[in-house]
Amino acid sequence: MGQLQERYKNYREPQKYMAAGVYPYFRAITSKQGPEVEMDGHKVLMFGSNAYTGLTGDERVIEAAHKALDKYGSGCAGSRFLNGTLDIHVQLEKELAEFEHKDDALCFATGFSVNAGVIAMVVGRGDYIICDDRDHASIVDGRRLSFATQLHYKHNDMEDLERVLQKLPKEAIKLIVVDGVFSMEGDLAKLPEIVELKHKYNCSLMVDEAHGLGVFGKQGRGVCDHFGLTDEVDLIMGTFSKSLASIGGFIAGDADTINFLRHSCRTYIFSASDTPAATAAALEALHILQEEPSRLEHLWDVTNYALKRFKEEGFEIGDTESPIIPLYVRDIEKTFMVTKLAFDNGVFINPVIPPACAPQDTLVRFALMASHTQEQVERGVQILKKAFKELEIIK
């Protein structure tokens, strides 16, 4: 047995939960993503998806992907830097820049590679990165790849952020990177206060709109637009894998910074292009998002209904202000058990345990889509209420 095999032969934590019958990961779906999906031969309510706009099964998005597949083939066989740029890549970047009211944008093959590449590239030795301590893993990995000094502040604690900033040299480049919507807890970054501190301490600001795009702001532009602070944010990151019904991501900003990233960002110039079908799907979803305001209105109708009902039934939901509703369990074993009970009764939810949260903050994540109905939400609430009571999580 080799050294690596020797190191990992005793890693059996997943097998423990498999043996107990509550292992909650890699559950195979055999249908399109939607408010209901087919699994194990029967339908379950899907409250574990990030497809907030409900467009992943939309026939217009699927048709756009089909046409791109027919015209361009299945892939680009190279990076954007060399042979992998299509006219629809250029079009999508142009439209995303206009959508986010920025000079220019770059599209990447995944959202993760946007943060991992951009953060590592725009700051270096002698600079500083300052992050919220609940920022997404892709932000964490991006800052780890940078040669800049890495600092963080307590979640949404503006006093702690100021404590960090006031110790730093005024003339140094200081990049604050924050999620617009925090993906597990559903609460929003305190952007107005962050922008005040940005000016006070001469910083730059990057906002990850992965969970804000398609949800907040005019036509779903995101949390920056929601607060009216787009012009105050230097770099806006977004992903296609949630509201834009595809896979990929983008960074939008001023022309000079994007020009620099286009010619130096390693995860951009050394990765294969996002596929024609994925690019066309994201582009079509972006068009639908702007053309159908009723989709966003309905998302907020079912979100507000769910928030109201969970509070009425005694669930602990924290400070969420979004379609991401954390239902706190605060026990790892019970988190897996409630996920299993919910699934057995027709509800798909996601468990959240360390390292995605602190050990004392385990939860199940209930997420809404524009394609959900109020009746489906109520069924979900009732099924989860029964499971939480059975496990004595709520009274």
Side-chain angles (χ1 to χ4, degrees), residues 211-266:
H211 296 270
L213 185 71
V215 178
F216 289 90
K218 185 180 179 182
Q219 297 180 312
R221 284 182 170 84
V223 173
C224 300
D225 183 84
H226 168 73
F227 284 116
L229 294 171
T230 297
D231 289 345
E232 300 286 356
V233 178
D234 300 279
L235 292 168
I236 295 176
M237 176 271 179
T239 183
F240 307 150
S241 60
K242 298 170 176 62
S243 288
L244 295 186
S246 186
I247 185 72
F250 71 91
I251 191 73
D254 67 279
D256 291 335
T257 303
I258 298 301
N259 176 54
F260 169 74
L261 289 169
R262 180 176 280 117
H263 296 90
S264 61
C265 184
R266 295 170 68 84

Side-chain angles (χ1 to χ4, degrees), residues 16-297:
K16 179 178 78 173
Y17 293 108
M18 290 176 188
V22 295
Y23 183 73
Y25 304 117
F26 304 104
R27 293 172 283 178
I29 298 168
T30 55
S31 66
K32 293 177 185 176
Q33 285 275 342
E36 289 188 321
V37 297
E38 192 165 299
M39 304 179 74
D40 296 335
H42 63 278
K43 288 186 176 180
V44 296
L45 290 168
M46 172 53 77
F47 291 110
S49 175
N50 294 320
Y52 305 114
T53 55
L55 288 171
T56 49
D58 190 283
E59 290 302 325
R60 294 165 293 180
V61 175
I62 294 169
E63 179 62 21
H66 279 168
K67 288 181 177 179
L69 193 63
D70 290 338
K71 180 176 180 178
Y72 300 102
S74 59
C76 298
S79 73
R80 289 289 307 279
F81 197 64
L82 298 174
N83 63 297
T85 291
L86 304 175
D87 54 355
I88 54 172
H89 290 134
V90 177
Q91 181 185 353
L92 179 56
E93 289 173 338
K94 180 177 182 293
E95 293 195 24
L96 284 167
E98 292 172 353
F99 184 69
E100 292 293 353
H101 298 304
K102 293 298 181 185
D103 295 343
D104 204 351
L106 289 183
C107 290
F108 291 65
T110 67
F112 197 107
S113 64
V114 178
N115 283 337
V118 170
I119 297 169
M121 206 69 230
V122 294
V123 285
R125 286 187 177 90
D127 302 334
Y128 298 86
I129 304 171
I130 307 98
C131 297
D132 187 293
D133 65 9
R134 291 189 189 171
D135 277 349
H136 189 264
S138 58
I139 295 174
V140 174
D141 283 5
R143 81 182 192 211
R144 286 173 175 170
L145 288 169
S146 173
F147 291 109
T149 300
Q150 301 171 35
L151 303 165
H152 61 88
Y153 59 96
K154 296 174 186 175
H155 176 56
N156 262 347
D157 186 330
M158 296 298 98
E159 289 185 6
D160 197 43
L161 174 55
E162 183 160 23
R163 177 191 63 79
V164 172
L165 294 177
Q166 64 189 6
K167 297 177 181 179
L168 305 181
K170 185 174 179 61
E171 67 281 2
I173 291 177
K174 300 173 288 294
L175 178 66
I176 302 169
V177 187
V178 67
D179 285 315
V181 180
F182 292 92
S183 59
M184 296 297 117
E185 297 85 4
D187 54 338
L188 308 187
K190 295 181 177 179
L191 278 188
E193 293 94 329
I194 292 172
V195 166
E196 286 183 17
L197 292 172
K198 167 195 167 176
H199 288 298
K200 184 175 180 180
Y201 293 99
N202 190 32
C203 301
S204 298
L205 176 59
M206 175 176 168
V207 176
D208 181 327
E209 288 279 21
H211 296 270
L213 185 71
V215 178
F216 289 90
K218 185 180 179 182
Q219 297 180 312
R221 284 182 170 84
V223 173
C224 300
D225 183 84
H226 168 73
F227 284 116
L229 294 171
T230 297
D231 289 345
E232 300 286 356
V233 178
D234 300 279
L235 292 168
I236 295 176
M237 176 271 179
T239 183
F240 307 150
S241 60
K242 298 170 176 62
S243 288
L244 295 186
S246 186
I247 185 72
F250 71 91
I251 191 73
D254 67 279
D256 291 335
T257 303
I258 298 301
N259 176 54
F260 169 74
L261 289 169
R262 180 176 280 117
H263 296 90
S264 61
C265 184
R266 295 170 68 84
T267 58
Y268 178 78
I269 64 176
F270 293 107
S271 288
S273 304
D274 34 347
T275 67
T279 305
L283 186 59
E284 181 64 20
L286 182 63
H287 294 163
I288 295 170
L289 184 60
Q290 295 173 85
E291 293 162 2
E292 297 183 358
S294 60
R295 186 172 293 273
L296 192 58
E297 291 166 9

